[in-house]
């Protein structure tokens, strides 16, 4: 049974990553990291400049992560229904969606931080 599932089209990167993105977004939104030294949270050079940028970065990342998660889940389910087996194009579609979603989340969060916080801020 497990082997059949692993070889089916329903076992794909977009579906699993979408579930992880949704969980991560809801978790960080519900339990935001208290400080920059927390073991979880959105970490980058801009987000660790101050406590204000840390909170804003985690809020932006959590919101966009949930949205991307739902898009990835729908993409994974659509790919599973469209393809009969795991072909190269199936992998390109599902893994490409995960990579694109991750790059979008990071880019959007960094752009929001750059727009809302002064560059000279400590």
């Amino acid at each position: 049974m497990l082997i059949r599932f692993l070889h089916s089209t329903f076992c794909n990167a977009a579906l699993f990553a979408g579930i992880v993105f949704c969980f991560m977004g809801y978790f960080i939104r519900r339990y935001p990291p208290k400080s920059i030294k927390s073991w979880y949270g959105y970490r980058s050079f801009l987000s660790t400049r101050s406590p204000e940028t840390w909170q804003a970065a985690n809020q932006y990342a959590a919101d966009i992560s949930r949205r991307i998660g739902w898009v990835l889940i729908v993409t994974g389910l659509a790919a599973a229904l469209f393809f009969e087996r795991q072909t190269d194009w199936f992998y390109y579609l599902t893994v490409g969606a995960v990579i694109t979603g991750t790059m979008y989340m990071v880019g959007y969060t960094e752009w929001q931080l750059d727009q809302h916080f002064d560059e000279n801020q400590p």
Side-chain angles (χ1 to χ4, degrees):
M1 178 83 175
L2 179 64
I3 298 297
R4 263 180 74 191
F5 174 74
L6 291 176
H7 291 291
S8 75
T9 56
F10 285 98
C11 182
N12 66 60
L15 191 58
F16 288 130
I19 293 168
V20 170
F21 270 63
C22 282
F23 174 75
M24 179 179 65
Y26 284 113
F27 183 79
I28 290 176
R29 189 74 164 148
R30 176 90 171 135
Y31 305 104
K34 302 285 187 229
S35 72
I36 296 171
K37 299 200 185 284
S38 295
W39 63 273
Y40 67 96
Y42 177 83
R43 279 189 215 307
S44 71
F45 177 74
L46 289 177
S47 70
T48 56
R49 280 187 174 173
S50 70
E52 292 81 22
T53 58
W54 174 254
Q55 291 171 354
N58 280 288
Q59 181 181 357
Y60 295 138
D63 289 342
I64 199 70
S65 177
R66 290 185 306 185
R67 289 186 204 141
I68 290 171
W70 286 112
V71 169
L72 288 175
I73 288 171
V74 169
T75 302
L77 289 174
L81 295 173
F82 183 74
F83 289 94
E84 292 179 12
R85 57 189 178 89
Q86 296 181 359
T87 62
D88 287 344
W89 284 105
F90 175 80
Y91 290 126
Y92 297 152
L93 178 69
T94 57
V95 174
V98 173
I99 292 170
T100 304
T102 303
M103 289 172 48
Y104 180 74
M105 182 184 73
V106 170
Y108 177 79
T109 304
E110 294 297 312
W111 180 74
Q112 287 290 339
L113 291 175
D114 192 45
Q115 295 294 313
H116 292 108
F117 292 96
D118 186 18
E119 189 174 297
N120 298 324
Q121 184 180 6

